[in-house]
Amino acid sequence: MTDSLDALLTLPDYSALAWSAIIFSTYLTGISKGGFAGGFGSLSVPLMALAIGPLEAAGILLPLLLVMDFLSSRAWWGKQLWSEVRIILPSAAIGIAVGVVLFDELDENMIRGLLGVISLLFAAYMLFKPTASKPLPRWLAIPAGATAGFTSFFAHAGAPPYNLYMIPRQHPKETFIATTVIIFAGMNLMKLGPYVALGEINLTSLSTSLLLVPVAWAGVRSGLWLQSRVNEKLFFRLIIIAMALVGVQLIYKAWG
């Protein structure tokens, strides 16, 4: 019991640069969870992976995501579209299950490289965001949800495949945000058990997560406040540049 308490109270010996990346990533994720610049929380794990192990970063972030999900779900509850939730969440469960099966086959550098590729693809997607003249067929929610579940399992980066399906569906903004919040909250809950079983969430990682809860809360509140007050397009451009730079650096670090 004493050893467990000591582990929970012991913070990892990260550098100042690593702590800065972790704090900024957490705050950015909170902003995204609050509904502002949705999807750009996908930058968090790649950014943190520049300073610490990618799986370690994902383990620290998941409890915080669950806190943010609770806060943002309360703010958006009642505006979600259940018909989308019911088809995407089960599909995401398939992708998460595939991630669990492949977990032991990928080493840290392979995951860094994967994160780098995801970051570059995400930046390209946001830069050249495809449009559709009419909503996509509902069956595409299955491969989109499964792919989102897979990338979310390794990097909490399910937004690109999810958005490829959801944005052309042309839902009203509030419906889109609320549905997205509920779906990703469900995904994160599904990842909790595997993360604990695989050791990615442990007492030491939880000590870091607990320390960052106020940062997560501030990020969600900031996201809610920023929606009607800040130029979202400018913010998008800055984050696209950051995603591309982080992606290149991760690939270099993995295979350079």
Side-chain angles (χ1 to χ4, degrees), residues 2 4 8 25 31 53 86 108 112 147 153 208 211 213 218 227:
T2 302
S4 297
L8 185 59
S25 299
I31 289 175
R86 283 193 292 266
E108 195 167 274
R112 274 202 179 92
T147 306
F153 178 78
T208 306
L211 183 68
V213 166
Q227 284 189 72

Side-chain angles (χ1 to χ4, degrees), residues 18 21 24 32 66 89-90 98 123 133 138 159 161 163 179 189 205 210 217 219 232 236 251:
F24 177 73
S32 179
L66 293 171
L89 262 186
V98 172
S133 58
R138 290 293 303 279
N163 285 337
T179 303
L189 280 172
S205 72
L210 288 171
W217 177 84
E232 199 166 16
F236 270 17
I251 292 171

Side-chain angles (χ1 to χ4, degrees), residues 27-39 68-69 71-73 75-76 173 177-178 181 216-227 232:
Y27 183 69
L28 182 63
T29 302
I31 289 175
S32 179
K33 284 288 186 180
F36 180 77
M68 297 179 208
D69 289 335
L71 296 172
S72 53
S73 294
W76 292 101
K173 182 179 178 181
I177 293 173
V181 164
W217 177 84
V220 172
R221 298 305 303 172
S222 296
L224 294 169
W225 184 85
L226 286 168
Q227 284 189 72
E232 199 166 16

Side-chain angles (χ1 to χ4, degrees), residues 78-165:
K79 299 177 182 178
Q80 68 271 20
L81 196 61
W82 285 113
S83 59
E84 300 286 14
V85 175
R86 283 193 292 266
I87 190 170
I88 294 175
L89 262 186
S91 304
I94 297 171
I96 291 170
V98 172
V100 173
V101 171
L102 295 179
F103 179 83
D104 288 331
E105 305 299 321
L106 302 176
D107 63 27
E108 195 167 274
N109 278 330
M110 291 174 67
I111 293 174
R112 274 202 179 92
L114 176 63
L115 290 182
V117 171
I118 289 173
S119 298
L120 290 177
L121 290 175
F122 187 90
Y125 164 77
M126 293 308 299
L127 188 62
F128 305 106
K129 190 181 296 184
T131 58
S133 58
K134 59 181 181 179
L136 297 176
R138 290 293 303 279
W139 66 266
L140 284 176
I142 297 173
T147 306
F150 180 78
T151 55
S152 180
F153 178 78
F154 284 105
H156 307 312
Y162 170 83
N163 285 337
L164 280 171
Y165 165 75

Side-chain angles (χ1 to χ4, degrees), residues 168-231:
R169 297 286 293 170
Q170 301 174 4
H171 295 304
K173 182 179 178 181
E174 286 195 348
T175 301
F176 173 82
I177 293 173
T179 303
T180 300
V181 164
I182 300 305
I183 286 173
F184 279 91
M187 281 193 209
N188 289 330
L189 280 172
M190 286 190 286
K191 290 184 289 188
L192 181 59
Y195 268 49
V196 172
L198 293 168
E200 296 311 309
I201 293 180
N202 50 57
L203 292 176
T204 302
S205 72
L206 276 175
S207 67
T208 306
S209 301
L210 288 171
L211 183 68
L212 294 168
V213 166
V215 180
W217 177 84
V220 172
R221 298 305 303 172
S222 296
L224 294 169
W225 184 85
L226 286 168
Q227 284 189 72
S228 60
R229 295 173 175 85
V230 174
N231 186 326

